[in-house]
């Protein structure tokens, strides 16, 4: 997200499984040691709406899907370093363990209580198991100062279902979370990054104050209207530390803008071809 000359990285994480916990801890320790401050997504939206200055070295951490490893590995690490994040969860999936197959070609997905059979259609994803947070864990993170946002009621492709069903996903998820957490839910994350103008307007009408997608932040021109389609920068525990530093320091914005300059792709392709040829020659 770019505000004038200020760059505010919004990082998008998903799972942080047990083997990756220490790697995630190293990333968060780097944030703390070099003076970065984290704010939740709702606070960023509020500051933009109010026209307030965003402090230097501000980073927003977001975590999608509400999986149990967020409580087990992410939450204690954030608390250790005095950091905060925004966790996007789907209320109807809280407290469950399910398998999912995503059908990319048809913008649909199916949940299974048991491991499903192998996929056969082109465009199907491999079956993936999701162990979701419990309500007690969600409430505890909320009370500790972490933000809980909506990720839809059941995490569907919102443009792959009738608009009336999308409206239910958007409204009911907010209502259920608000009832359990004792306050309004102000932010939304489009499941699978799937949205349309009609879906975006429904999110706005439902009372959310901001929403994010899965596209890289640097592709979004930021204005008041963009608060419902704010992009994020993908982050994970497997990225090299130099790449993580590039993201939080704002260097990734510059890199992505260079990559979009006219005529730059053939140059990068030539560079890749030369590297490949050198490796083969050696």
């Amino acid at each position: 997200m770019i505000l004038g000359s200020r760059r505010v990285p919004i990082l998008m994480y998903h799972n942080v499984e047990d083997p990756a916990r220490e790697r995630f801890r190293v990333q968060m320790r780097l944030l703390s040691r070099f003076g970065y401050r984290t704010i939740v997504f709702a606070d960023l939206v509020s500051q933009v709406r109010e026209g307030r200055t965003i402090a230097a070295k501000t980073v927003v951490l977001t975590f999608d899907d509400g999986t149990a490893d967020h409580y087990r590995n992410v939450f204690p690490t954030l608390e250790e370093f005095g950091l905060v994040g925004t966790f996007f969860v789907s209320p109807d999936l809280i407290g469950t363990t399910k398998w999912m197959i995503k059908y990319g070609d048809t913008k649909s997905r199916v949940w299974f209580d048991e491991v499903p059979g192998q996929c056969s259609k082109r465009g199907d994803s491999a079956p993936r198991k999701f162990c979701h947070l419990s309500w007690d864990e969600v409430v505890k993170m909320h009370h500790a100062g972490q933000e809980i946002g909506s990720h839809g009621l059941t995490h569907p492709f919102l443009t792959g279902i009738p608009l009336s069903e999308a409206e239910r996903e958007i409204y009911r998820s907010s209502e259920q979370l608000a009832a359990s957490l004792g306050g309004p839910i102000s932010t939304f994350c489009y499941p699978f990054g799937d949205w349309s103008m009609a879906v975006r307007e429904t999110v706005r009408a439902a009372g959310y104050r901001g929403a994010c997608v899965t596209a890289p932040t640097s592709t979004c021109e930021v204005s008041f209207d963009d608060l419902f389609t704010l992009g994020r920068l993908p982050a994970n525990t497997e990225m090299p530390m130099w790449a993580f530093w590039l993201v939080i320091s704002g260097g990734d914005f510059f890199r992505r803008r260079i990559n979009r300059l006219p005529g730059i792709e053939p140059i990068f392709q030539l560079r890749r071809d030369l590297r490949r040829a050198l490796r083969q020659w050696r």
Side-chain angles (χ1 to χ4, degrees):
M1 176 176 175
I2 305 173
L3 300 174
S5 60
R6 176 75 72 221
R7 292 169 173 81
V8 183
I10 308 175
L11 275 59
M12 174 183 63
Y13 284 90
H14 286 86
N15 296 85
V16 179
E17 299 291 356
D18 295 350
R21 175 173 178 168
E22 184 56 32
R23 184 74 175 177
F24 178 72
R25 186 176 177 275
V26 171
Q27 292 178 347
M28 297 303 102
R29 183 174 60 191
L30 185 149
L31 282 177
S32 177
R33 179 171 295 179
F34 286 93
Y36 284 87
R37 64 188 290 265
T38 56
I39 60 175
V40 297
F41 187 60
D43 286 346
L44 176 66
V45 170
S46 294
Q47 291 183 36
V48 175
R49 284 180 174 273
E50 296 165 9
R52 292 157 56 190
T53 300
I54 309 295
K57 289 191 171 183
T58 295
V59 176
V60 178
L61 305 173
T62 66
F63 303 88
D64 291 7
D65 300 338
T67 47
D69 55 273
H70 291 168
Y71 181 82
R72 187 172 63 249
N73 297 328
V74 175
F75 176 47
T77 303
L78 295 182
E79 287 212 307
E80 177 184 356
F81 295 105
L83 305 174
V84 293
T86 298
F87 296 83
F88 291 109
V89 304
S90 300
D92 271 9
L93 300 178
I94 292 176
T96 69
T97 299
K98 291 182 179 292
W99 289 81
M100 184 186 74
I101 292 180
K102 179 175 67 174
Y103 303 97
D105 290 350
T106 59
K107 283 194 173 183
S108 64
R109 57 92 185 92
V110 178
W111 290 106
F112 300 86
D113 290 326
E114 304 293 337
V115 57
Q118 294 299 312
C119 302
S120 58
K121 298 179 181 178
R122 189 182 66 175
D124 296 3
S125 68
R128 184 180 174 192
K129 187 177 183 180
F130 287 83
C131 298
H132 294 275
L133 294 162
S134 69
W135 275 111
D136 285 345
E137 291 168 341
V138 171
V139 170
K140 184 173 181 179
M141 290 197 300
H142 168 70
H143 286 164
Q146 308 297 326
E147 182 191 7
I148 304 299
S150 170
H151 207 21
L153 195 61
T154 62
H155 199 286
F157 285 91
L158 291 175
T159 67
I161 57 178
L163 185 57
S164 59
E165 292 183 24
E167 290 172 347
R168 180 177 181 276
E169 288 276 341
I170 293 165
Y171 277 87
R172 287 292 295 149
S173 60
S174 173
E175 293 166 0
Q176 289 190 24
L177 288 171
S180 297
L181 301 179
I185 303 301
S186 61
T187 58
F188 188 87
C189 176
Y190 303 98
F192 303 112
D194 183 47
W195 65 280
S196 64
M197 290 303 294
V199 167
R200 188 180 88 162
E201 291 310 306
T202 300
V203 171
R204 187 197 302 270
Y208 297 96
R209 294 178 58 80
C212 58
V213 298
T214 57
T217 305
S218 58
T219 65
C220 295
E221 296 297 330
V222 175
S223 67
F224 182 82
D225 289 339
D226 288 324
L227 290 177
F228 288 91
T229 52
L230 289 177
R232 296 177 292 171
L233 295 167
N236 59 67
T237 56
E238 297 177 0
M239 62 197 309
M241 290 308 297
W242 65 262
F244 181 75
W245 176 258
L246 196 65
V247 169
I248 64 174
S249 66
D252 202 62
F253 290 101
F254 182 66
R255 180 184 67 82
R256 290 175 184 275
R257 287 188 179 276
I258 288 179
N259 287 349
R260 296 199 306 276
L261 290 175
I264 201 70
E265 177 54 32
I267 296 176
F268 283 133
Q269 184 59 52
L270 176 61
R271 182 168 173 263
R272 289 191 292 267
D273 291 343
L274 286 173
R275 281 185 171 182
R276 189 179 303 110
L278 283 172
R279 284 196 299 269
Q280 292 174 351
W281 180 75
R282 288 173 182 170

